[in-house]
């Protein structure tokens, strides 16, 4: 192998940072737990408003870009046509960006808000129910997808319009970093992105492992617990490692398709056989509530909580800020992926497609799975809330799905879907991590490199399960702390993109419908 292919400083730098955080956490779990909690409190309390602001600003920025003349820029040359049809494009976008967590939170997020509602509502009240059916759509809605879409802009632009083979985040910051891109500063940007993604993967897999474990226990009767979790974790890691090793092109497309079909079956069946009218009524109702309260939800910081006579919910830190951080850590990775599949589309199509299809996909999951659970609770048929409080979150999720007729079939589909969703995210994740550690890519990143990162991606969740026993707080913290530097990287990406298009676009560009690179020259 040509020695120059590997970018060793980035490779070793990322490993060093990862191990210097993980080893002390494993050796001193109690101290580790205290440290991560302190870090979490520091980030969410001191910089919480920055996260909320960034979310809102990004959405406005993207809408501006999409509807301005820059939206007409085609990602490609005069000959390029969209490489994938829109449905395939949307399916792939969704499969890469969304992992098993949509099944987890889609089914149960409402129950958390029902018991700990925002804006001073009484737990369990009618008001709490209204918010419970709405907030999930917000946390998986347009702002979240705007966070995902932003890095795709500079990456796709440099790749298809400026024709540079960019597979590093630092490269997409070149207009701002300039000569520093190839030096230590550029490497630092890449390492921070890698650590962010590894932290986000820790949250994802830390949640998915007990969920899949609960499904396995449903079929086998084995008690869920650390032993079972370790087996599930190792089993899933083996699956990603093998598929990542054998190559991604065929694999991910295949898996995305199976994913799409199984999702249609699961959601379609629940919608038709379950309480159809309740589900659709509630969905329409909550979209209305979302639109009505969008800005307040987006910028709610709870500023008076420390004063007497004001109630404190801790809701923004525990939920909205956590969520924005979690979407942030995945964003550059999804951006790389969205950019790759968007050749031949205009910037407007790419931006609006991501915002609209992404939001609709999440709306379907949350609306159908979540409202089905709420219906069971309200009719007294089965109480996800009781199970959540007395047994555990995963038991409440599987318990909800098990209320369907033909339940073993649907619990089976649910668990298989969780594994595939996890696989599509981790597969492409390890592919991107490997790409970032190479100076150039010969068709695909090196096999051993892909395999290596597939295994490393599973490590953070193992550490989190060990130190926090998989508690939600510890898992949320991983994304929040690892995602902090991403705020600055995202800002840099936005400025890089603006700078580049301003430089490239002639001032007097008339009313031509599409704008190609050749026209700009
Ligand atoms: N997001 C979409 O765990 C996963 O499903 C991956 C999670 C950021 C909440 C992404």
């Amino acid at each position: 192998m040509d020695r120059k292919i590997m970018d060793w400083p980035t490779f070793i730098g990322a490993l060093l940072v990862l191990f210097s955080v993980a080893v002390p956490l494993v050796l001193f779990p109690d101290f580790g737990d205290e440290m991560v909690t302190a870090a979490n409190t520091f980030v969410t309390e001191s910089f919480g408003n920055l996260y909320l602001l960034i979310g809102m600003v990004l959405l406005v920025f993207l809408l501006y870009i999409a509807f301005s003349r820059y939206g007409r820029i085609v990602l490609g040359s005069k000959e390029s046509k969209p490489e994938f049809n829109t449905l395939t494009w949307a399916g792939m976008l969704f499969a890469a960006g969304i992992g098993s967590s949509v099944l987890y939170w889609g089914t149960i997020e409402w129950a958390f808000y029902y018991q700990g509602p925002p804006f001073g509502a009484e737990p369990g009240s009618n008001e709490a129910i209204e918010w419970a059916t709405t907030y999930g759509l917000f946390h998986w809605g347009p702002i979240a997808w705007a966070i995902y879409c932003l890095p795709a802009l500079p990456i796709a632009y440099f790749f298809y319009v400026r024709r540079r083979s960019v597979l590093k985040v630092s490269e997409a910051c070149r207009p701002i970093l300039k000569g520093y891109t190839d030096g230590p500063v550029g490497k630092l940007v890449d390492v921070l992105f890698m650590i962010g993604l590894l932290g986000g993967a820790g949250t994802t897999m830390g949640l998915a492992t007990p969920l899949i474990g609960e499904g396995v226990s449903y079929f086998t009767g084995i008690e869920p617990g650390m032993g079972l979790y370790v087996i599930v974790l190792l089993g899933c890691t083996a699956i990603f490692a093998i598929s990542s090793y054998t190559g991604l092109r065929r694999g991910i497309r295949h898996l995305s398709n199976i994913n799409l079909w199984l999702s249609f079956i699961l959601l379609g069946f629940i919608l038709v056989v379950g309480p159809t009218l309740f589900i659709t009524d509630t969905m329409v109702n909550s979209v209305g509530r979302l639109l009505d309260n969008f800005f307040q939800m987006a910028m709610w910081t709870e500023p008076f909580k420390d004063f007497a006579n004001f109630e404190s919910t801790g809701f923004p830190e525990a939920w909205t800020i956590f969520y924005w951080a979690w979407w942030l850590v995945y964003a550059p990775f999804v951006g790389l992926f969205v950019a790759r599949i968007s050749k031949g589309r205009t910037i407007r199509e790419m931006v609006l497609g991501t915002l609209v299809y992404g939001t609709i996909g999440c709306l379907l999951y949350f609306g159908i799975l979540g409202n089905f659970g709420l219906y069971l609770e309200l009719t007294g048929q089965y109480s996800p809330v009781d199970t959540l409080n007395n047994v555990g979150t995963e038991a409440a999720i599987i318990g909800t799905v098990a209320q369907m007729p033909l339940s073993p079939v649907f619990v089976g589909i649910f668990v298989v879907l969780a594994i595939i969703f996890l696989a599509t995210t981790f597969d492409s994740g390890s592919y991107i991590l490997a790409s970032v550690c190479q100076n150039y890519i010969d068709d695909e990143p090196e096999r051993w490199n892909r395999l290596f990162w597939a295994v490393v991606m599973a490590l953070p969740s193992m550490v989190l399960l060990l130190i926090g026993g998989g508690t939600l707080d510890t898992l949320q913290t991983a994304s929040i702390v690892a995602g902090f530097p991403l705020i600055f990287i995202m800002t840099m990406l936005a400025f890089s993109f603006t700078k580049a298009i301003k430089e490239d676009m002639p001032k007097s560009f008339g009313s031509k419908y599409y704008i190609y690179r050749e026209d700009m020259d």
Side-chain angles (χ1 to χ4, degrees):
M1 184 178 59
D2 177 0
R3 296 196 79 212
K4 290 221 197 67
I5 196 166
M6 290 305 296
D7 176 353
W8 290 115
T10 308
F11 185 94
I12 294 170
L15 281 185
L16 276 182
V17 177
L18 181 69
F19 281 107
S20 58
V21 177
V23 171
L25 290 183
V26 173
L27 293 182
F28 311 103
D30 290 337
F31 176 68
D33 202 17
E34 259 172 54
M35 287 309 290
V36 280
T37 313
N40 185 9
T41 315
F42 174 71
V43 173
T44 52
E45 295 206 342
S46 314
F47 296 95
N49 55 20
L50 198 59
Y51 280 88
L52 300 182
L53 219 52
I54 285 268
M56 198 60 231
V57 169
L58 285 186
L59 179 63
V60 174
F61 175 73
L62 284 178
L63 290 175
Y64 163 71
I65 293 289
F67 289 109
S68 71
R69 58 189 194 133
Y70 304 124
R72 304 202 313 263
I73 298 174
V74 176
L75 300 167
S77 60
K78 272 208 164 79
E79 302 77 50
S80 15
K81 294 265 163 313
E83 202 177 336
F84 302 100
N85 70 42
T86 306
L87 188 67
T88 311
W89 182 83
M92 282 166 61
L93 161 84
F94 200 78
I98 296 294
S100 48
S101 313
V102 78
L103 298 171
Y104 189 105
W105 292 114
T107 315
I108 208 65
E109 195 160 318
W110 67 270
F112 285 84
Y113 305 149
Y114 175 75
Q115 301 191 85
F119 303 120
E122 271 306 304
S125 62
N126 293 355
E127 181 78 1
I129 295 177
E130 293 264 357
W131 283 121
T133 55
T134 308
Y135 246 101
L137 309 185
F138 174 69
H139 288 146
W140 295 70
I143 293 190
W145 284 93
I147 295 177
Y148 262 13
C149 187
L150 181 94
L153 284 179
I155 296 170
Y157 187 79
F158 293 143
F159 201 84
Y160 295 118
V161 183
R162 283 200 174 179
R163 312 265 161 79
R164 301 181 63 110
S165 33
V166 184
L167 268 175
K168 286 177 190 255
V169 179
S170 58
E171 197 53 58
C173 296
R174 194 177 280 278
I176 299 287
L177 290 179
K178 299 205 176 95
Y180 293 107
T181 312
D182 304 308
V185 181
K187 306 262 177 262
L188 181 68
V189 166
D190 289 326
V191 167
L192 289 176
F193 150 64
M194 293 172 77
I195 296 296
L197 182 55
L198 289 166
T203 310
T204 295
M205 196 135 162
L207 290 169
T209 306
L211 179 65
I212 296 169
E214 190 71 34
V216 172
S217 148
Y218 173 90
F219 287 108
T220 60
I222 301 173
E223 275 297 300
M226 212 39 108
L228 181 59
Y229 297 166
V230 172
I231 296 174
V232 169
L233 199 66
L234 292 179
C236 288
T237 312
I239 297 177
F240 319 139
I242 294 168
S243 63
S244 168
Y245 186 76
T246 49
L248 170 118
R249 278 203 198 117
R250 281 225 214 115
I252 192 142
R253 228 171 156 176
H254 221 62
L255 287 177
S256 305
N257 269 334
I258 304 178
N259 218 348
L260 208 63
W261 284 112
L262 282 182
S263 303
F264 279 145
I265 296 175
L266 180 77
L267 296 180
F269 202 76
I270 296 183
L271 183 64
V272 173
V273 177
T276 314
L277 195 60
F278 176 81
I279 291 177
T280 47
D281 267 356
T282 312
M283 272 162 85
V284 172
N285 186 65
S286 36
V287 170
R289 196 175 184 85
L290 176 68
L291 292 174
D292 202 16
N293 296 282
F294 189 80
F295 293 105
Q296 188 182 13
M297 292 160 96
M299 302 176 91
W300 182 38
T301 57
E302 223 179 27
F304 312 117
K305 66 171 182 284
D306 296 329
F307 298 100
N309 301 328
F310 282 97
E311 239 176 88
S312 158
T313 60
F315 192 98
E317 290 90 352
W319 292 107
T320 312
I321 294 165
F322 151 64
Y323 260 122
W324 285 185
W326 196 14
W327 287 86
L328 270 171
V329 289
Y330 274 94
F333 146 63
V334 176
L336 285 160
F337 189 78
V338 173
R340 276 185 55 151
I341 60 174
S342 300
K343 183 175 179 194
R345 291 181 179 271
T346 60
I347 284 187
R348 181 173 302 155
E349 282 168 350
M350 184 177 82
V351 171
L352 296 182
T354 311
L355 297 184
V356 172
Y357 291 118
T359 301
I360 291 181
C362 291
L363 176 81
L364 290 177
Y365 272 95
F366 274 71
I368 296 176
L369 287 173
N371 291 329
F372 175 58
L374 176 64
Y375 181 80
L376 298 172
E377 179 79 35
L378 295 179
T379 52
Q381 221 167 308
Y382 167 74
S383 173
V385 173
D386 275 352
T387 317
L388 171 70
N389 296 341
N390 300 320
V391 190
T393 320
E394 300 77 26
I397 297 171
I398 298 291
T400 303
V401 182
Q403 295 302 308
M404 291 285 294
L406 291 178
S407 58
V409 175
F410 284 94
V411 175
I413 293 185
F414 191 85
V415 174
V416 170
L417 249 184
I419 297 174
I420 301 180
F421 256 131
L422 201 58
T424 47
T425 304
F426 273 62
D427 241 2
S428 24
S430 55
Y431 188 93
I432 295 294
L433 287 172
S435 308
V436 173
C437 295
Q438 290 192 194
N439 286 324
Y440 62 90
I441 287 159
D442 225 2
D443 191 30
E444 293 201 294
E446 301 291 297
R447 275 194 163 179
W448 70 266
N449 196 10
R450 285 169 359 220
L451 182 63
F452 180 82
W453 289 105
V455 176
V456 172
M457 272 186 96
L459 284 182
S461 46
M462 189 79 96
V463 172
L464 291 167
L465 286 173
L466 277 178
I467 62 164
T471 52
L472 184 57
D473 287 358
T474 326
L475 294 176
Q476 287 185 327
T477 302
S479 281
I480 291 174
V481 176
F484 185 55
L486 265 294
I487 292 196
F488 306 102
I489 297 182
M490 291 289 269
T491 313
M492 213 147 54
L493 287 170
F495 278 109
S496 292
F497 175 70
T498 322
K499 198 157 176 240
I501 46 174
K502 286 230 166 99
E503 271 167 23
D504 291 352
M505 283 274 273
K507 293 257 171 331
S508 58
F509 217 94
S511 55
K512 267 203 184 159
Y513 190 62
Y514 289 126
I515 300 168
Y516 300 99
R517 172 74 201 193
E518 297 87 59
D519 300 329
M520 296 178 200
D521 286 336

